[in-house]
Amino acid sequence: MKTLARLVLGLVILDAVVAAPTLPSINYDSETYDATLEDLDNLYNYENIPIDQAEIEIATVMPSGNRELLTPPPQPEEAQEEEEEEESTPRLIDGFSPQEPEFTGVLGPHTNEDFPTCLLCTCISTTVYCDDHELDAIPPLPKNTAYFYSRFNRIKKINRNDFASLNDLKRIDLTSNLISEIDEDAFRKLPQLRELVLRDNKIRQLPELPTTLTFIDISNNRLGRKGIKQEAFKDMYDLHHLYLTDNNLDHIPLPLPENLRALHLQNNNILEMHEDTFCNVKNFTYIRKALEDIRLDGNPINLSKTPQAYMCLPRLPIGSLV
Ligand SMILES: *[C@@H]1O[C@H](CO)[C@@H](O)[C@H](O)[C@H]1NC(C)=O
Ligand SMILES: *[C@@H]1O[C@H](CO)[C@@H](O)[C@H](O)[C@H]1NC(C)=O
């Protein structure tokens, strides 16, 4: 009996011990389980975002750092720009090997380093960069200058002596200045000038230009009816690009040289054109095969009025046909 009583008591106690805490503990657990899971989730997410990013940063910083160590140091800005600008003109053309400029800069007779303009601007080999220097006149240039850049300055006038006896000069780029006047002789005597870029200025009248030019850009200026001389481009046998966009021209400058590839005249005041502007109305076997890019859009001209004018062209001009 004693044993049975102990057994029953033990069972009751056991039941009480087992049953009493289980119900509240289950409730407690089930209530807090979700909460703690959410909390854990939140903790996991919030804490893991920075950790992941940190890991990603470490992962990306490390190899790129290594890569930087492996790649050669970047070239100076000027040297890169020069490469881009002179893509079409091989460096060897002026007789220098690519390494030579630095060398001659120290030792050779071609050094321009102590030329006054080269202290202000940047001279690399035969190229002079004077972009964005608040210049109000063309600075004196070393005698062997082949490429001259003076964009984004305040130059108002080009004088007859500015480029005098620069017999190696091949490119002049005076984009975005305030040029309104150019002396008649400013460019005429430059025997090797090939590229003339005077866009974004206030030029009303072009001076006489050397016939060696291959590339002319006088876009966005004030060239009007008398801005371009009669037959100004006639003898430029190597002229490929003639850009006269955004001026006030009322006619197409004639005659156009035979090798011209691109003629841009958009946004001018050209009202009419003749049947023989591009072609030869007396000879239908004539083909002007080089001229593939004619822009006449933005002019008050009706291209439909001269249907015979495009017979010899590889492509129709772009402009209003209605
Ligand atoms: C017509 O043009 C062709 C090609 O330019 C030329 O060979 C030919 O001599 C010209 N004929 C005349 C009569 O001018
Ligand atoms: C353009 O010229 C064609 C041919 O002469 C004509 O039919 C058309 O009406 C003209 N369009 C305008 C806008 O003057």
Side-chain angles (χ1 to χ4, degrees):
M1 210 42 216
K2 251 185 181 176
T3 13
L4 182 71
R6 273 184 200 149
L7 185 67
V8 168
L9 183 70
L11 279 172
V12 167
I13 290 165
L14 181 71
D15 200 31
V17 166
V18 171
T22 45
L23 264 173
S25 84
I26 286 165
N27 283 343
Y28 176 80
D29 278 356
S30 69
E31 265 172 27
T32 55
Y33 185 70
D34 289 346
T36 47
L37 249 190
E38 270 171 28
D39 285 349
L40 272 174
D41 261 354
N42 289 342
L43 275 172
Y44 181 82
N45 285 335
Y46 287 133
E47 281 181 6
N48 262 324
I49 286 167
I51 287 166
D52 279 346
Q53 280 177 346
E55 279 170 3
I56 287 162
E57 272 165 28
I58 290 163
T60 52
V61 163
M62 286 305 286
S64 76
N66 289 342
R67 242 178 278 134
E68 269 168 32
L69 287 175
L70 293 171
T71 51
Q75 288 177 290
E77 214 174 278
E78 287 82 4
Q80 281 179 353
E81 195 184 350
E82 187 186 33
E83 272 178 16
E84 284 164 22
E85 295 290 344
E86 293 173 20
E87 239 171 23
S88 59
T89 317
R91 290 300 309 255
L92 291 172
I93 224 165
D94 59 9
F96 288 100
S97 76
Q99 283 82 29
E100 217 176 334
E102 287 162 38
F103 200 63
T104 53
V106 182
L107 300 168
H110 295 294
T111 179
N112 291 323
E113 262 173 24
D114 46 7
F115 196 88
T117 298
C118 297
L119 302 176
L120 171 72
C121 304
T122 304
C123 301
I124 300 172
S125 181
T126 55
T127 302
V128 179
Y129 296 99
C130 290
D131 288 353
D132 219 344
H133 272 82
E134 301 186 2
L135 301 177
D136 45 27
I138 307 278
L141 295 171
K143 234 182 144 55
N144 65 345
T145 304
Y147 305 93
F148 174 54
Y149 298 85
S150 184
R151 300 167 288 197
F152 312 106
N153 283 297
R154 298 172 186 163
I155 298 165
K156 290 196 175 76
K157 192 186 172 197
I158 304 177
N159 297 299
R160 70 169 51 80
N161 292 323
D162 285 344
F163 300 113
S165 68
L166 293 176
N167 292 339
D168 296 337
L169 202 52
K170 293 182 179 71
R171 181 178 175 108
I172 296 172
D173 190 340
L174 294 166
T175 296
S176 274
N177 277 275
L178 302 168
I179 301 164
S180 58
E181 210 185 328
I182 307 175
D183 270 348
E184 190 57 28
D185 290 341
F187 305 123
R188 178 162 60 188
K189 292 173 189 162
L190 296 171
Q192 302 217 51
L193 192 66
R194 297 181 70 75
E195 301 179 354
L196 181 62
V197 183
L198 299 171
R199 59 177 303 133
D200 306 331
N201 277 287
K202 299 177 171 184
I203 300 165
R204 293 178 181 278
Q205 203 148 19
L206 279 186
E208 195 173 323
L209 300 174
T211 56
T212 48
L213 284 169
T214 64
F215 184 101
I216 299 174
D217 187 353
I218 325 280
S219 296
N220 198 22
N221 273 281
R222 300 192 179 163
L223 299 176
R225 178 184 289 266
K226 291 178 178 170
I228 297 174
K229 287 182 171 38
Q230 291 250 324
E231 306 195 337
F233 309 110
K234 185 183 170 217
D235 296 325
M236 296 188 186
Y237 297 109
D238 296 323
L239 186 66
H240 295 151
H241 292 83
L242 181 54
Y243 294 152
L244 298 167
T245 303
D246 296 287
N247 276 284
N248 202 24
L249 297 169
D250 63 358
H251 64 279
I252 297 173
L254 295 176
L256 296 166
E258 197 60 38
N259 291 318
L260 193 65
R261 291 183 210 152
L263 174 66
H264 287 192
L265 288 163
Q266 59 267 44
N267 306 324
N268 274 282
N269 196 29
I270 297 165
L271 268 159
E272 56 171 17
M273 171 167 68
H274 302 288
E275 300 275 3
D276 59 357
T277 294
F278 304 112
C279 303
N280 186 341
V281 283
K282 289 174 190 142
N283 185 349
F284 287 104
T285 60
Y286 169 76
I287 298 170
R288 188 186 277 279
K289 55 176 180 290
L291 191 50
E292 289 199 338
D293 180 12
I294 304 172
R295 295 282 304 268
L296 284 164
D297 39 317
N299 284 281
I301 189 174
N302 181 352
L303 296 181
S304 300
K305 284 185 179 166
T306 47
Q308 303 296 313
Y310 324 111
M311 301 282 278
C312 68
L313 295 174
R315 277 196 217 178
L316 279 178
I318 293 173
S320 176
L321 283 162
V322 284

